[in-house]
Amino acid sequence: MQVSHSYPGSCELSVVIPVYNEEAGLDALIERVTAAAHAIFADRYELILINDGSKDGSWNAICQHADRDPRIVAINLSRNHGHQLALTAGLHHVRGQLVFVLDADLQDPPELLGPMLEVVREGYDVVYGQRVKRHGETAFKRGTASLFYRTLASMVDTHIPRDTGDFRLMTRRVVDQLNAMPERYRFIRGLVSYIGFNQTAFPYERDARYAGETNYPLRKMIALAVDAITSFSVVPLRFASHLGMLFGLAGLASLVWVVWAWMQGGAVQGWASLAALTLILGSVQLLVLGVFGEYLGRMYMEGKQRPLFIVSEVRRHPIAANEEPEAGAVAASETSEAIRVAG
Ligand code: UDP
Ligand code: MG
């Protein structure tokens, strides 16, 4: 789609998209997002694409688009930081009063911007996409995702809506709050729920990936789930006392049984089972220690206070390059970034 190239004085909407190895679908993505944003905001929007250390030609493709279109802001991270931190980097650079977050693979239809905007205008600060149907995802992925949301809900006080991703339209005050949260293990959809204000679900059908394959293998999904649980709940830390009580009661019951058998003049057989019991208890203790270690390790990493992300380059079209982000839009972590603005 060809649109005019005058850069807006004011930016009403920032679209934020993290990109990791998405070269094949980038042209289609930018075309559809541009069409959707332009139809509503004309030139008063920006499209922030964060290259999260892609190994394919994504960064070159993004740069080509940024060199042609002043509404496109290209951010190159120094290496792969992972989806949540790449998104965090993008959110630290927004200039718009509204922020629209979506994935680069076109699983979240950009055309829903209009309908979601109508809901925001009814007085909501966050309109999050809630998946009622997922096309092109395996039964395993759907099953594990569903199990994850249900487990999380049972452990967490914050209401984290089920079957949501990071696809959402938010007002700037929510993003400012999010950017003020310094934590490293970020489960962004949970943090947004935690922030509060008026939030509502927007049911939609999730499309299949436009091109390429998922960058969220089982390993990363488990890591995200552990991040989510540990950053929102201390329930696993209480497992130790619950298990302790359970095994203590079981021990007492077996003691009563042994004494009773002795008073009857007999002896309880099967002390070989002691070995099994010792092993079970040992494994439970190590498991509990592992859970403690998980929390302790996170505290250790958080304590270092390293920047959440490192930017190697921010590239804007020459027309747009002299427009600096609004004050407050860029957080403290930016001080450690090497920023080079093209043009
Ligand atoms: N992504 C990223 N860094 C990563 C992995 C993924 O920026 O290390 C981006 C990816 O390009 C996409 C979004 O995060 O825009 C979601 O990833 P993906 O579509 O692979 O996840 P899925 O939809 O399969 O859960
Ligand atoms: Mg996807």
Side-chain angles (χ1 to χ4, degrees), residues 121-141:
R121 287 188 173 146
E122 285 168 20
Y124 289 98
D125 281 278
V126 179
V127 178
Y128 52 85
Q130 192 160 37
R131 301 150 187 181
V132 288
K133 230 185 203 169
R134 293 155 170 248
H135 299 283
E137 286 186 352
T138 59
F140 177 74
K141 177 139 191 166

Side-chain angles (χ1 to χ4, degrees), residues 15-127:
V15 184
V16 182
I17 307 180
V19 175
Y20 179 63
N21 295 348
E22 304 278 7
E23 186 184 7
L26 260 179
D27 291 348
L29 170 78
I30 292 174
E31 185 178 331
R32 277 177 63 185
V33 172
T34 301
H38 192 263
I40 302 169
F41 293 95
D43 277 348
R44 299 179 309 281
Y45 74 92
E46 64 178 354
L47 168 51
I48 302 177
L49 294 160
I50 309 99
N51 177 45
D52 187 19
S54 298
K55 296 192 187 80
D56 65 358
S58 295
W59 175 242
N60 274 344
I62 292 173
C63 287
Q64 279 171 17
H65 281 281
D67 290 346
R68 263 195 308 109
D69 185 343
R71 283 162 299 257
I72 295 181
V73 182
I75 299 177
N76 199 17
L77 297 187
S78 63
R79 57 171 169 78
N80 180 256
H81 283 62
H83 175 211
Q84 299 290 293
L85 291 181
L87 180 53
T88 301
L91 292 173
H92 276 94
H93 285 81
V94 298
R95 298 196 274 197
Q97 288 308 310
L98 285 168
V99 179
F100 188 42
V101 174
L102 63 163
D103 283 355
D105 56 6
L106 286 170
Q107 283 196 279
D108 312 317
E111 294 75 20
L112 293 181
L113 172 64
M116 287 168 97
L117 182 65
E118 278 173 28
V119 183
V120 164
R121 287 188 173 146
E122 285 168 20
Y124 289 98
D125 281 278
V126 179
V127 178

